[in-house]
Coordinates of all heavy atoms in Angstrom, one line a residue:
M1 N 0.8 -1.2 0.0 CA 0.0 0.0 0.0 C 0.9 1.2 0.0 O 1.8 1.4 0.8 CB -0.9 0.0 1.2 CG -1.7 1.3 1.4 SD -2.6 1.3 3.0 CE -4.2 1.2 2.3
A2 N 0.7 2.1 -0.9 CA 1.4 3.4 -0.9 C 0.8 4.3 0.2 O -0.3 4.2 0.7 CB 1.2 4.0 -2.3
T3 N 1.6 5.3 0.5 CA 1.2 6.3 1.5 C 0.0 7.1 0.9 O 0.0 7.5 -0.2 CB 2.3 7.3 1.8 OG1 3.5 6.5 2.3 CG2 1.9 8.3 2.8
A4 N -1.0 7.2 1.8 CA -2.2 8.0 1.3 C -1.9 9.4 1.1 O -1.0 10.0 1.8 CB -3.3 7.9 2.4
S5 N -2.5 10.0 0.1 CA -2.2 11.4 -0.2 C -3.1 12.4 0.5 O -2.8 13.5 0.6 CB -2.4 11.6 -1.7 OG -3.7 11.3 -2.1
S6 N -4.3 11.9 1.0 CA -5.1 12.8 1.7 C -5.0 12.5 3.2 O -4.8 11.4 3.7 CB -6.6 12.6 1.3 OG -7.0 11.3 1.5
L7 N -5.3 13.5 4.1 CA -5.2 13.4 5.5 C -6.5 12.8 6.0 O -7.6 13.0 5.5 CB -5.0 14.8 6.2 CG -3.7 15.5 5.8 CD1 -3.6 16.9 6.5 CD2 -2.5 14.7 6.2
I8 N -6.4 12.0 7.1 CA -7.5 11.4 7.8 C -7.4 11.7 9.3 O -6.3 12.0 9.8 CB -7.7 9.9 7.5 CG1 -6.5 9.1 8.2 CG2 -7.8 9.6 6.1 CD1 -6.8 7.7 8.3
S9 N -8.5 11.6 9.9 CA -8.5 11.9 11.4 C -8.1 10.7 12.1 O -8.2 9.5 11.6 CB -9.9 12.4 11.8 OG -10.8 11.3 11.8
I10 N -7.6 10.8 13.3 CA -7.3 9.7 14.2 C -8.5 8.8 14.5 O -8.4 7.6 14.5 CB -6.6 10.2 15.5 CG1 -6.1 8.9 16.3 CG2 -7.5 11.0 16.4 CD1 -4.9 8.3 15.7
D11 N -9.7 9.5 14.6 CA -10.9 8.7 14.9 C -11.2 7.8 13.7 O -11.6 6.7 13.9 CB -12.1 9.7 15.1 CG -11.9 10.4 16.5 OD1 -11.4 9.8 17.4 OD2 -12.4 11.5 16.6
E12 N -11.1 8.3 12.5 CA -11.3 7.5 11.3 C -10.4 6.4 11.2 O -10.8 5.2 10.9 CB -11.2 8.4 10.0 CG -11.5 7.6 8.7 CD -11.4 8.4 7.5 OE1 -11.2 9.7 7.6 OE2 -11.4 7.8 6.4
Y13 N -9.1 6.6 11.5 CA -8.1 5.5 11.5 C -8.4 4.5 12.5 O -8.4 3.3 12.2 CB -6.7 6.1 11.8 CG -5.6 5.1 12.1 CD1 -5.1 4.3 11.1 CD2 -5.2 4.9 13.4 CE1 -4.2 3.3 11.3 CE2 -4.2 3.9 13.6 CZ -3.7 3.1 12.6 OH -2.8 2.2 12.8
L14 N -8.8 4.8 13.8 CA -9.1 3.9 14.8 C -10.4 3.1 14.5 O -10.5 2.0 15.1 CB -9.2 4.6 16.2 CG -7.9 5.2 16.7 CD1 -8.1 6.0 17.9 CD2 -6.9 4.1 16.9
Q15 N -11.3 3.6 13.8 CA -12.5 2.9 13.5 C -12.6 2.1 12.3 O -13.5 1.5 11.9 CB -13.7 3.9 13.4 CG -13.9 4.6 14.8 CD -15.0 5.8 14.7 OE1 -15.6 5.9 13.6 NE2 -15.0 6.6 15.7
T16 N -11.4 2.1 11.5 CA -11.3 1.4 10.3 C -10.3 0.2 10.4 O -9.3 0.3 11.0 CB -10.8 2.3 9.2 OG1 -11.7 3.5 9.1 CG2 -10.8 1.6 7.8
D17 N -10.7 -0.9 9.8 CA -9.9 -2.1 9.7 C -9.1 -2.1 8.4 O -9.8 -2.3 7.3 CB -10.7 -3.4 9.9 CG -9.9 -4.6 10.0 OD1 -8.7 -4.5 10.4 OD2 -10.4 -5.7 9.7
Y18 N -7.8 -1.9 8.4 CA -7.0 -1.9 7.2 C -6.4 -3.2 6.9 O -5.8 -3.8 7.8 CB -6.0 -0.8 7.3 CG -6.6 0.6 7.4 CD1 -6.7 1.2 8.7 CD2 -7.0 1.3 6.3 CE1 -7.3 2.4 8.8 CE2 -7.5 2.6 6.4 CZ -7.7 3.1 7.7 OH -8.2 4.4 7.8
K19 N -6.5 -3.6 5.6 CA -5.8 -4.8 5.2 C -5.0 -4.5 3.9 O -5.6 -4.1 2.9 CB -6.9 -5.9 4.8 CG -7.8 -6.3 5.9 CD -7.2 -7.5 6.7 CE -8.3 -8.0 7.6 NZ -7.9 -8.1 9.0
P20 N -3.7 -4.6 3.9 CA -2.9 -4.9 5.0 C -2.8 -3.8 6.0 O -3.2 -2.7 5.8 CB -1.5 -5.1 4.4 CG -1.5 -4.3 3.1 CD -3.0 -4.3 2.7
D21 N -2.3 -4.2 7.2 CA -2.2 -3.2 8.3 C -1.4 -2.1 8.0 O -0.4 -2.2 7.3 CB -1.7 -4.0 9.6 CG -2.1 -3.4 10.9 OD1 -2.9 -2.5 10.9 OD2 -1.5 -3.7 11.9
V22 N -1.7 -0.9 8.5 CA -1.0 0.4 8.3 C -0.7 1.1 9.6 O -1.4 0.9 10.5 CB -1.7 1.3 7.2 CG1 -1.8 0.6 5.9 CG2 -3.1 1.6 7.7
H23 N 0.3 2.0 9.5 CA 0.5 2.9 10.6 C -0.2 4.2 10.3 O -0.4 4.6 9.2 CB 2.0 3.2 10.7 CG 2.8 2.2 11.3 ND1 2.8 1.9 12.6 CD2 3.8 1.4 10.8 CE1 3.6 0.9 12.9 NE2 4.3 0.6 11.8
F24 N -0.5 5.0 11.4 CA -1.1 6.3 11.3 C 0.0 7.3 11.7 O 0.5 7.2 12.8 CB -2.3 6.5 12.2 CG -2.9 7.9 12.2 CD1 -3.8 8.2 11.2 CD2 -2.6 8.7 13.2 CE1 -4.3 9.5 11.2 CE2 -3.1 10.0 13.2 CZ -4.0 10.4 12.2
A25 N 0.4 8.2 10.8 CA 1.5 9.2 11.1 C 1.1 10.5 10.6 O 1.0 10.7 9.4 CB 2.8 8.7 10.6
N26 N 1.0 11.5 11.4 CA 0.6 12.9 11.0 C -0.5 12.9 10.0 O -0.5 13.7 9.1 CB 1.9 13.5 10.4 CG 3.1 13.5 11.3 OD1 2.9 13.9 12.5 ND2 4.3 13.2 10.9
G27 N -1.6 12.2 10.3 CA -2.7 12.3 9.5 C -2.7 11.4 8.3 O -3.6 11.4 7.4
Q28 N -1.6 10.7 8.0 CA -1.5 9.9 6.8 C -1.3 8.4 7.2 O -0.8 8.1 8.3 CB -0.3 10.4 6.0 CG -0.5 11.8 5.4 CD 0.5 12.1 4.4 OE1 1.7 11.7 4.6 NE2 0.2 13.0 3.4
L29 N -1.7 7.6 6.3 CA -1.5 6.1 6.4 C -0.1 5.8 5.8 O 0.2 6.2 4.7 CB -2.6 5.4 5.8 CG -4.0 5.7 6.2 CD1 -5.0 4.9 5.5 CD2 -4.1 5.4 7.7
E30 N 0.7 5.0 6.5 CA 2.0 4.5 6.0 C 2.0 3.0 6.1 O 1.5 2.4 7.0 CB 3.1 5.1 6.8 CG 3.2 6.6 6.8 CD 4.3 7.2 7.6 OE1 5.0 6.4 8.3 OE2 4.6 8.4 7.5
E31 N 2.7 2.4 5.1 CA 2.9 1.0 5.1 C 3.6 0.5 6.3 O 4.5 1.1 6.8 CB 3.8 0.7 3.9 CG 3.5 -0.6 3.2 CD 4.3 -0.8 1.9 OE1 4.6 0.2 1.2 OE2 4.6 -2.0 1.7
R32 N 3.1 -0.6 6.9 CA 3.6 -1.2 8.1 C 4.8 -2.1 7.6 O 4.6 -3.0 6.8 CB 2.6 -2.0 8.9 CG 3.2 -2.6 10.2 CD 2.2 -3.3 11.0 NE 1.1 -2.4 11.5 CZ 1.2 -1.7 12.6 NH1 2.3 -1.7 13.3 NH2 0.2 -0.9 12.9
S33 N 5.9 -1.9 8.2 CA 7.1 -2.7 7.8 C 7.0 -4.2 8.4 O 6.6 -4.4 9.6 CB 8.4 -2.1 8.4 OG 9.5 -2.9 8.2
V34 N 7.2 -5.1 7.6 CA 7.2 -6.5 8.0 C 8.6 -7.0 8.1 O 9.4 -6.7 7.3 CB 6.4 -7.4 7.1 CG1 5.1 -7.9 7.6 CG2 6.2 -6.9 5.7
G35 N 8.9 -7.8 9.2 CA 10.3 -8.2 9.4 C 10.7 -9.1 8.3 O 10.0 -9.8 7.6
K36 N 12.0 -9.2 8.1 CA 12.7 -10.0 7.1 C 13.0 -11.4 7.7 O 12.8 -11.6 8.9 CB 13.9 -9.4 6.6 CG 13.7 -8.0 6.0 CD 13.1 -8.1 4.7 CE 13.0 -6.7 4.0 NZ 11.9 -6.4 3.3
Y37 N 13.6 -12.3 7.0 CA 13.9 -13.6 7.4 C 14.8 -13.6 8.7 O 14.5 -14.3 9.7 CB 14.5 -14.5 6.3 CG 14.9 -15.8 6.7 CD1 13.9 -16.9 6.8 CD2 16.2 -16.2 7.1 CE1 14.3 -18.2 7.2 CE2 16.5 -17.4 7.4 CZ 15.6 -18.4 7.5 OH 15.9 -19.7 7.9
D38 N 15.9 -12.9 8.6 CA 16.8 -12.9 9.8 C 16.1 -12.3 11.0 O 16.4 -12.8 12.1 CB 18.0 -12.0 9.5 CG 18.9 -12.7 8.4 OD1 18.8 -13.9 8.2 OD2 19.8 -12.0 7.8
H39 N 15.3 -11.3 10.9 CA 14.6 -10.7 12.0 C 13.7 -11.8 12.6 O 13.6 -11.9 13.8 CB 13.8 -9.5 11.5 CG 12.9 -8.9 12.5 ND1 11.6 -9.2 12.7 CD2 13.2 -8.0 13.5 CE1 11.1 -8.5 13.6 NE2 12.1 -7.7 14.2
G40 N 13.0 -12.5 11.8 CA 12.1 -13.6 12.3 C 12.8 -14.7 13.0 O 12.4 -15.2 14.0
K41 N 14.0 -15.1 12.5 CA 14.8 -16.1 13.2 C 15.3 -15.6 14.6 O 15.2 -16.4 15.5 CB 16.1 -16.4 12.3 CG 15.8 -17.2 11.0 CD 15.2 -18.6 11.3 CE 16.3 -19.5 11.7 NZ 15.8 -20.9 11.8
I42 N 15.7 -14.4 14.7 CA 16.2 -13.8 15.9 C 15.0 -13.8 16.9 O 15.2 -14.2 18.1 CB 16.9 -12.5 15.7 CG1 18.2 -12.7 15.0 CG2 17.1 -11.8 17.1 CD1 18.8 -11.4 14.5
K43 N 13.9 -13.3 16.4 CA 12.7 -13.3 17.3 C 12.3 -14.7 17.8 O 12.0 -14.9 19.0 CB 11.4 -12.7 16.6 CG 11.4 -11.3 16.6 CD 10.2 -10.7 15.8 CE 8.9 -10.9 16.4 NZ 7.8 -10.3 15.7
G44 N 12.5 -15.7 17.0 CA 12.2 -17.1 17.3 C 13.2 -17.6 18.4 O 12.8 -18.3 19.3
W45 N 14.5 -17.3 18.2 CA 15.5 -17.7 19.2 C 15.2 -17.0 20.6 O 15.2 -17.7 21.6 CB 16.9 -17.3 18.7 CG 17.4 -18.1 17.6 CD1 16.9 -19.4 17.2 CD2 18.3 -17.7 16.6 NE1 17.6 -19.7 16.0 CE2 18.4 -18.7 15.6 CE3 19.0 -16.5 16.4 CZ2 19.3 -18.6 14.6 CZ3 19.9 -16.4 15.3 CH2 20.0 -17.5 14.4
I46 N 14.9 -15.7 20.6 CA 14.6 -15.1 21.8 C 13.4 -15.6 22.5 O 13.3 -15.9 23.7 CB 14.5 -13.5 21.6 CG1 15.8 -12.9 21.2 CG2 13.9 -12.8 22.8 CD1 15.8 -11.5 20.7
F47 N 12.3 -15.9 21.7 CA 11.1 -16.5 22.2 C 11.4 -17.9 22.8 O 10.9 -18.2 23.9 CB 10.1 -16.7 21.0 CG 8.9 -17.6 21.5 CD1 7.9 -17.0 22.2 CD2 8.9 -18.9 21.2 CE1 6.8 -17.7 22.6 CE2 7.8 -19.7 21.6 CZ 6.7 -19.1 22.3
Q48 N 12.2 -18.7 22.2 CA 12.6 -20.0 22.7 C 13.3 -19.9 24.0 O 13.0 -20.6 25.0 CB 13.4 -20.7 21.7 CG 13.7 -22.2 22.1 CD 14.4 -23.0 21.0 OE1 14.9 -22.4 20.1 NE2 14.5 -24.3 21.1
I49 N 14.2 -18.9 24.2 CA 15.0 -18.8 25.4 C 14.0 -18.4 26.6 O 14.0 -19.0 27.6 CB 16.1 -17.7 25.3 CG1 17.2 -18.2 24.4 CG2 16.6 -17.3 26.6 CD1 18.1 -17.2 23.9
F50 N 13.1 -17.4 26.3 CA 12.2 -16.9 27.3 C 11.2 -18.0 27.6 O 10.8 -18.2 28.7 CB 11.5 -15.7 26.9 CG 12.3 -14.4 27.2 CD1 13.3 -14.0 26.4 CD2 12.0 -13.7 28.3 CE1 14.1 -12.9 26.7 CE2 12.7 -12.5 28.6 CZ 13.8 -12.1 27.8
N51 N 10.7 -18.7 26.6 CA 9.7 -19.8 26.8 C 10.3 -20.9 27.6 O 9.6 -21.5 28.5 CB 9.2 -20.3 25.5 CG 7.9 -21.1 25.6 OD1 7.0 -20.6 26.3 ND2 7.8 -22.2 24.9
L52 N 11.6 -21.3 27.4 CA 12.2 -22.4 28.2 C 12.3 -22.0 29.7 O 12.3 -22.8 30.6 CB 13.6 -22.7 27.7 CG 13.6 -23.4 26.4 CD1 15.1 -23.5 25.8 CD2 13.1 -24.8 26.5
H53 N 12.4 -20.7 30.0 CA 12.6 -20.2 31.4 C 11.3 -19.5 31.9 O 11.4 -18.9 33.0 CB 13.8 -19.2 31.4 CG 15.0 -19.8 31.0 ND1 15.7 -20.7 31.9 CD2 15.8 -19.7 29.9 CE1 16.9 -21.1 31.3 NE2 16.9 -20.5 30.0
A54 N 10.2 -19.6 31.2 CA 9.0 -18.9 31.6 C 8.5 -19.2 33.0 O 8.2 -18.3 33.8 CB 7.9 -19.2 30.6
K55 N 8.6 -20.4 33.4 CA 8.1 -20.8 34.7 C 9.0 -20.3 35.8 O 8.6 -19.6 36.8 CB 8.0 -22.3 34.8 CG 7.2 -22.7 36.1 CD 6.9 -24.2 36.1 CE 6.1 -24.6 37.2 NZ 5.7 -26.1 37.2
A56 N 10.3 -20.4 35.6 CA 11.4 -20.0 36.6 C 11.3 -18.4 36.7 O 11.6 -17.9 37.7 CB 12.7 -20.5 36.2
W57 N 11.1 -17.8 35.6 CA 11.2 -16.3 35.5 C 9.8 -15.7 35.8 O 9.6 -14.5 35.7 CB 11.7 -15.8 34.2 CG 13.1 -16.2 33.9 CD1 14.0 -16.6 34.9 CD2 13.8 -16.1 32.7 NE1 15.3 -16.8 34.2 CE2 15.1 -16.5 32.9 CE3 13.4 -15.7 31.4 CZ2 16.1 -16.5 31.9 CZ3 14.4 -15.7 30.4 CH2 15.7 -16.1 30.7
D58 N 8.8 -16.6 36.0 CA 7.4 -16.2 36.3 C 6.9 -15.2 35.2 O 6.5 -14.0 35.5 CB 7.2 -15.6 37.7 CG 5.8 -15.4 38.1 OD1 4.9 -16.1 37.6 OD2 5.5 -14.4 38.8
S59 N 7.0 -15.6 33.9 CA 6.7 -14.8 32.8 C 5.7 -15.5 31.9 O 5.6 -16.7 31.9 CB 7.9 -14.3 32.1 OG 8.6 -15.4 31.5
D60 N 5.0 -14.7 31.1 CA 4.1 -15.2 30.1 C 4.7 -14.8 28.8 O 4.9 -13.6 28.5 CB 2.7 -14.6 30.3 CG 1.7 -15.2 29.3 OD1 1.9 -16.3 28.8 OD2 0.7 -14.5 29.1
V61 N 5.0 -15.8 27.9 CA 5.7 -15.5 26.7 C 4.8 -15.5 25.5 O 4.0 -16.4 25.3 CB 6.8 -16.5 26.6 CG1 7.7 -16.2 25.3 CG2 7.7 -16.6 27.8
T62 N 5.0 -14.6 24.6 CA 4.3 -14.6 23.3 C 5.2 -13.9 22.3 O 6.1 -13.1 22.7 CB 2.9 -13.8 23.4 OG1 2.3 -13.9 22.1 CG2 3.1 -12.3 23.8
V63 N 5.1 -14.3 21.0 CA 6.0 -13.8 20.0 C 5.7 -12.3 19.7 O 6.5 -11.4 19.7 CB 5.9 -14.6 18.7 CG1 6.8 -14.0 17.6 CG2 6.4 -16.0 19.0
E64 N 4.4 -12.0 19.6 CA 4.0 -10.7 19.2 C 2.5 -10.5 19.6 O 1.7 -11.3 19.3 CB 4.2 -10.4 17.8 CG 4.0 -9.0 17.4 CD 4.4 -8.7 15.9 OE1 5.4 -9.3 15.5 OE2 3.8 -7.9 15.2
Q65 N 2.2 -9.3 20.2 CA 0.8 -9.0 20.6 C 0.5 -7.6 20.2 O 1.2 -6.7 20.8 CB 0.6 -9.3 22.0 CG -0.8 -9.0 22.5 CD -1.9 -9.9 21.8 OE1 -1.7 -11.1 21.8 NE2 -2.9 -9.3 21.4
R66 N -0.4 -7.4 19.4 CA -0.9 -6.0 19.0 C -2.2 -5.7 19.6 O -3.1 -6.6 19.6 CB -0.9 -5.8 17.6 CG 0.4 -5.8 16.9 CD 0.5 -5.2 15.6 NE 0.0 -3.8 15.6 CZ -0.9 -3.3 14.8 NH1 -1.5 -4.0 13.9 NH2 -1.3 -2.0 15.0
I67 N -2.4 -4.6 20.2 CA -3.7 -4.2 20.8 C -4.2 -3.0 20.1 O -3.5 -2.1 19.9 CB -3.5 -4.0 22.4 CG1 -3.0 -5.2 23.0 CG2 -4.8 -3.4 22.9 CD1 -2.7 -5.1 24.5

């Protein structure tokens, strides 16, 4: 998705479901960067380390959570 040429309000952005997902910056929609292969591998390794120690570290592990 290319950057939108017209400005939108934050309310309009929050009430709309965009596919693919986009960022809101200064009234414009911007393409959301997706990680590359190496980025995904590193996230996986970090997840595995935390997941192996989750009980001992009293933590709840997830790869990614957007709200």
Side-chain angles (χ1 to χ4, degrees):
M1 171 186 252
T3 303
S5 59
S6 60
L7 298 177
I8 66 167
S9 71
I10 187 72
D11 291 329
E12 181 180 353
Y13 169 74
L14 292 173
Q15 295 174 10
T16 307
D17 185 25
Y18 295 95
K19 302 269 190 230
D21 203 11
V22 294
H23 283 292
F24 177 82
N26 300 320
Q28 294 186 329
L29 302 178
E30 296 180 353
E31 213 173 326
R32 183 176 297 275
S33 175
V34 252
K36 305 286 187 218
Y37 178 80
D38 291 340
H39 178 261
K41 292 293 285 185
I42 292 169
K43 274 176 76 170
W45 292 333
I46 292 169
F47 171 81
Q48 187 173 13
I49 291 167
F50 276 81
N51 199 40
L52 288 171
H53 299 284
K55 192 171 188 176
W57 294 347
D58 191 28
S59 61
D60 185 22
V61 183
T62 184
V63 175
E64 187 170 326
Q65 179 65 46
R66 291 200 56 232
I67 298 174

